């Protein structure tokens, strides 16, 4: 039994099945990867688990520690310990890094902000009073997003394309952050189409056309994904390419 | 509440004890205290229902410490009229922090009419911070006509830091000669039945004159906001930008009219205006960290107005 389970989870957007009767079990304290080509439904799965606006009209159900999330809003799910790091994090005019992280933090102290910034490789002195706005690079913003998640101390974290828009050195810091989350017992879900990111996980689900076409260890999924999905030849239609 | 409590409210009391810090304190239409420093002249004249204030900075004088102005009304009902005449001499520099405090206002009207002349290569920075009553029983009419000489710099910010807006009607007009720089910023958050009107005009008539007009407004409940910002550029290499952002919630209504008028082929003026509810991604990110929708909205607005 997983800490988070989807049961026959389906979601239609604009009349099209984006998630199609998904049954996934995500185990506590493990790092999972949801992989698949662009348009497979990976981000949609994360948004649906988080309960974002526009992603709530589901069929089937999602259970977190046995509790249905169906009628729970974003903030309620977050209070249960679920959170999401966006592929391209939001920017906030005028809001400082300190304000942003403290808003997320379990322990609302400046020391917490300094600690999590250091953990993602950002000098607190340099960043704490900067605005979370367009003056930050994509990589900096991504690290601040991860810092805010570390400060929150969630039990279930989804990171959407954690390598998107960042350089190799920054990626190492993101990977260190993922390890920290795992070390304190959080369940981590990496939404990715990158083999490098997938290798940070212990298990993977291969999503294609809104369906799970393969699941298992990384050693099992990696060759299949590399061969069948990079590039994707069948436009995410499982019937034409999935096993 | 007496004037001392008023000053404490604005955290002005310590600054006013410093003999090296120039200040002027006016309660209603009476001058309560004044301190000047070398090179700065402040003359006041109390009239029946108003006060005339003349401020002059001598040529070449740089006032090191921020000058504190405090215009307060301790009454519930009152009319405060202040006529300002400000002259910043050539190569002079002054920075002013002005607190306008009306904590008990039920039916208070505050009218400020300023004529400001900033001399060649001089610099004038004016921060205006308002503290209003929680009921918003106030009408505020700040008006300024500003002339910038060659290479002069003028920077002003208007901010409501506490209380309800009531009715606010800002009307600033700034004209800049060659290589002058003007920066005007207004930040206001309205609620209840507040009415916010901001009209700022920048006239870039000198070569390489530059100007930025920025407004950040949030309205909720039944509050209304109307922002009309105009930059006219009539000289070569004049550069201007109008930037207005308004967030609306509930039954709030916002209008933004950024106007650019360019009458020289080598001048360049840009504008951007955005009105809408709180950005969904910003909101949902904070909610995904456990903040309620209201708390997340407040934080986003706090950032925008900071």
């Amino acid at each position: 039994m997983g800490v988070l389970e989807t049961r026959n989870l389906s979601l239609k957007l604009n009349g099209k099945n984006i998630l199609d009767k998904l049954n996934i079990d995500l185990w506590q304290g493990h790092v999972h990867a949801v992989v698949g080509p662009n348009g497979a439904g990976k981000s949609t799965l994360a948004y649906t688990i988080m309960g974002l606006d526009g992603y709530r009209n589901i069929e089937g159900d999602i259970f977190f520690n046995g509790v249905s999330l169906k009628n729970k809003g974003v903030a309620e799910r977050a209070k249960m310990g679920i959170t999401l790091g966006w592929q391209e994090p939001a920017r906030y005019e005028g809001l400082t890094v300190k304000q942003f992280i403290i808003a997320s933090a379990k322990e609302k102290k400046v020391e917490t902000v300094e600690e999590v910034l250091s953990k993602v490789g950002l000098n607190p002195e340099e960043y704490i009073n900067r605005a979370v706005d367009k003056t930050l690079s994509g990589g900096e913003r991504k690290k601040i997003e991860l810092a805010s998640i570390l400060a929150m101390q969630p039990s279930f974290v989804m990171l959407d394309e954690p390598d998107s828009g960042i350089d190799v050195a920054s990626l190492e810091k993101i990977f260190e952050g993922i390890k920290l989350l795992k070390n304190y017992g959080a369940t981590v879900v990496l939404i990715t189409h990158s083999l490098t990111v997938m290798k940070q996980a212990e298990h993977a689900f291969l999503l294609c056309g809104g369906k799970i076409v393969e699941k298992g260890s990384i050693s099992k999924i990696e060759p299949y994904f590399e061969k069948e999905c990079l590039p994707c030849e069948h436009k995410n239609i499982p019937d034409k390419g999935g096993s | 509440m007496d004037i001392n409590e008023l000053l404490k409210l604005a955290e002005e009391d310590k600054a006013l004890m410093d003999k090296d810090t120039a200040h002027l304190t006016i309660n209603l239409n009476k001058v309560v205290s004044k301190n000047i420093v070398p090179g700065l002249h402040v003359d006041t004249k109390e009239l029946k229902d108003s006060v005339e204030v003349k401020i002059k900075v001598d040529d070449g004088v740089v006032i090191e410490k921020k000058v504190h102005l405090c215009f307060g009304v301790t009454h519930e009902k009152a009319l405060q009229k202040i006529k300002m005449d400000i002259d910043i001499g050539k190569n002079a520099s002054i920075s002013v922090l002005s607190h306008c405090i009306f904590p008990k206002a039920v039916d208070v009207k505050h009218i400020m009419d300023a004529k400001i002349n900033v001399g060649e290569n001089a610099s004038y920075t004016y921060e205006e911070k308002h503290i209003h009553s929680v009921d918003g029983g106030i009408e505020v009419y700040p008006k300024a006509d500003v002339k910038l000489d060659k290479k002069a710099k003028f920077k002003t910010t208007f901010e409501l830091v506490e209380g309800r807006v009531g009715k606010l009607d800002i009307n600033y007009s700034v004209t800049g000669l060659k290589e002058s720089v003007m920066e005007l910023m207004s930040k206001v958050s309205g609620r209840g039945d507040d009415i916010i009107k901001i009209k700022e005009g920048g006239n870039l008539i000198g070569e390489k004159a530059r100007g930025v007009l920025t407004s950040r407004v949030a309205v909720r409940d039944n509050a209304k906001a109307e922002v009309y910002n105009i930059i006219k550029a009539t000289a070569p290499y004049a550069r201007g930008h109008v930037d207005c952002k308004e967030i609306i919630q509930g039954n709030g209504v916002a209008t933004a009219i950024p106007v650019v008028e360019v009458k020289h082929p080598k001048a360049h003026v840009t504008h951007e205006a955005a009105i809408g509810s709180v950005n969904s991604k910003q909101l949902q990110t904070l909610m995904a960290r456990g903040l309620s929708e209201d708390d997340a909205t407040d934080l986003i607005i706090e950032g925008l107005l900071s």
Side-chain angles (χ1 to χ4, degrees):
Chain A
M1 183 177 156
V3 63
L4 188 136
E5 302 164 348
T6 68
R7 291 293 174 259
N8 293 317
L9 177 64
S10 295
L11 178 78
K12 278 186 182 176
L13 294 175
N14 300 321
K16 189 181 167 191
N17 271 329
I18 308 297
L19 303 178
D20 194 0
K21 294 180 181 166
L22 290 183
N23 288 296
I24 298 175
D25 287 7
L26 298 162
W27 303 324
Q28 173 136 24
H30 286 244
V31 180
H32 305 268
V34 174
V35 298
N38 289 333
K42 306 184 300 292
S43 294
T44 299
L45 175 61
Y47 298 167
T48 305
I49 292 171
M50 194 69 244
L52 301 184
D53 280 353
Y55 298 86
R56 299 274 301 279
N57 194 19
I58 59 169
E59 287 180 24
D61 209 340
I62 307 165
F63 295 94
F64 186 63
N65 290 321
V67 177
S68 169
L69 297 180
K70 205 163 186 175
N71 296 313
K72 298 196 183 299
V74 181
E76 279 179 284
R77 295 181 197 208
K79 285 197 172 96
M80 292 169 78
I82 302 170
T83 199
L84 167 70
W86 301 70
Q87 179 177 355
E88 194 178 328
R91 292 164 193 273
Y92 299 82
E93 182 177 336
L95 200 67
T96 64
V97 168
K98 182 168 81 177
Q99 287 174 302
F100 177 66
I101 294 177
I102 279 189
S104 311
K106 191 173 180 182
E107 292 177 33
K108 300 191 181 301
K109 299 184 295 187
V110 177
E111 292 78 11
T112 304
V113 180
E114 292 170 344
E115 187 185 331
V116 293
L117 284 174
S118 298
K119 281 178 178 168
V120 298
L122 296 177
N123 179 1
E125 277 183 29
E126 192 183 333
Y127 283 91
I128 200 161
N129 291 317
R130 281 187 67 176
V132 189
D133 62 9
K134 59 188 176 187
T135 61
L136 294 170
S137 70
E140 288 170 324
R141 181 65 194 90
K142 203 96 172 169
K143 287 186 199 173
I144 288 163
E145 180 87 339
L146 182 59
S148 77
I149 290 171
L150 290 168
M152 182 189 173
Q153 298 181 24
S155 57
F156 186 91
V157 183
M158 296 170 286
L159 298 175
D160 193 4
E161 306 287 3
D163 60 334
S164 167
I166 61 172
D167 56 39
V168 177
S170 297
L171 190 56
E172 283 306 314
K173 285 291 172 190
I174 299 285
F175 289 165
E176 284 174 28
I178 292 167
K179 287 190 183 90
L180 281 171
L181 288 165
K182 177 180 162 55
N183 288 345
Y184 76 66
T187 304
V188 181
V189 182
L190 305 174
I191 307 292
T192 185
H193 58 252
S194 153
L195 288 171
T196 311
V197 174
M198 184 173 75
K199 286 175 186 169
Q200 303 302 308
E202 298 155 277
H203 319 277
F205 296 86
L206 177 56
L207 200 60
C208 185
K211 292 186 175 190
I212 298 294
V213 294
E214 193 60 276
K215 62 184 175 182
S217 65
I218 298 303
S219 59
K220 178 184 171 188
I221 299 298
E222 186 189 351
Y224 182 93
F225 180 57
E226 195 167 11
K227 185 180 169 210
E228 300 292 335
C229 307
L230 300 175
C232 172
E233 299 289 351
H234 57 282
K235 297 177 184 171
N236 290 316
I237 304 168
D239 294 346
K240 292 187 181 176
S243 58
Chain B
M1 174 175 276
D2 65 13
I3 190 66
N4 291 321
E5 288 172 295
L6 209 66
L7 295 170
K8 209 169 181 178
L9 194 67
E11 296 173 355
E12 283 281 295
D13 48 340
K14 284 177 190 165
L16 270 54
M17 298 290 282
D18 178 10
K19 64 178 176 52
D20 296 326
T21 297
H23 80 260
L24 172 67
T25 305
I26 293 175
N27 185 15
L28 190 55
N29 296 310
K30 298 271 179 207
V31 176
V32 177
S33 67
K34 183 172 92 170
N35 183 47
I36 56 168
V37 293
L40 174 70
H41 308 274
V42 178
D43 296 317
T44 57
K45 188 175 178 185
E46 293 175 5
L47 302 173
K48 190 182 172 188
D49 62 349
S50 62
V51 185
E52 284 183 6
V53 180
K54 287 188 179 178
I55 296 176
K56 181 172 168 42
V57 183
D58 292 338
D59 288 356
V61 169
V62 174
I63 309 289
E64 296 289 347
K65 288 193 173 181
K66 206 173 266 189
V67 175
H68 289 246
L69 301 181
C70 182
F71 304 117
V73 174
T74 50
H75 309 63
E76 290 186 355
K77 294 183 180 185
L79 168 66
Q80 181 182 53
K81 284 167 78 176
I82 295 170
K83 195 175 173 192
M84 300 269 280
D85 191 344
I86 298 171
D87 186 14
I88 315 299
K90 190 176 174 181
N91 296 319
S93 175
I94 182 171
S95 182
V96 173
L97 173 60
S98 176
H99 273 105
C100 298
I101 316 168
F102 317 101
K104 295 282 181 189
V106 175
D107 181 14
V108 170
K109 194 179 276 189
H110 166 81
I111 299 171
M112 168 75 73
D113 191 354
K115 286 202 187 318
I116 301 166
N117 183 59
V118 186
E120 185 177 339
N121 201 35
S123 171
Y124 179 49
T125 302
Y126 185 77
E127 290 173 70
E128 185 166 337
K129 292 180 187 280
H130 278 237
I131 296 175
H132 291 185
S133 67
V134 291
D135 299 321
I138 181 155
E139 294 180 24
V140 176
Y141 299 90
K143 185 181 173 195
D145 183 9
V146 186
K147 302 271 185 274
L148 305 181
D149 209 330
K150 286 186 286 184
K151 295 186 179 179
K153 289 179 185 159
F154 173 65
K155 183 177 180 180
T156 181
T157 57
F158 181 97
E159 192 179 355
L160 175 67
V161 293
E162 212 174 301
R164 282 260 311 277
V165 174
K167 183 178 178 187
L168 171 67
D169 191 347
I170 295 175
N171 188 349
Y172 288 167
S173 173
V174 188
T175 301
L177 297 185
K178 186 178 178 180
E179 294 179 43
S180 62
V181 179
M182 61 181 81
E183 290 178 59
L184 284 72
M185 162 77 89
S186 304
K187 299 172 187 174
V188 192
S189 176
R191 58 177 67 221
D193 55 357
D194 290 342
I195 295 174
I196 299 162
K197 288 185 180 179
I198 298 172
K199 185 180 179 187
E200 293 174 337
N203 298 301
L204 306 171
I205 63 171
E207 190 175 325
K208 295 183 183 174
R210 287 175 287 151
V212 180
L213 309 180
T214 308
S215 303
R216 296 289 180 264
V217 177
V219 283
R220 60 180 85 189
D221 304 329
N222 295 306
K224 290 185 173 66
E226 189 180 305
V227 179
Y228 180 89
N229 284 342
I230 177 167
I231 285 195
K232 295 181 185 176
T234 55
Y237 307 108
R239 294 285 181 270
H241 183 65
V242 179
D243 178 2
C244 174
K245 276 191 190 153
E246 296 181 68
I247 289 179
I248 57 164
Q249 289 183 278
N251 296 318
V253 178
T255 311
I257 308 169
V259 179
V260 296
E261 190 177 308
V262 179
K263 288 188 176 171
H264 195 286
K266 287 181 177 171
H268 187 71
V269 182
T270 53
H271 71 85
E272 55 185 305
I275 303 179
S277 56
V278 172
N279 178 286
S280 170
K281 192 171 183 178
Q282 294 176 340
L283 191 66
Q284 294 200 77
T285 297
L286 292 169
M287 290 171 71
R289 301 286 183 273
L291 274 73
S292 68
E293 187 170 348
D294 285 349
D295 288 347
T297 302
D298 286 347
L299 188 61
I300 293 165
I301 290 173
E302 187 185 324
L304 188 76
L305 299 178
S306 68

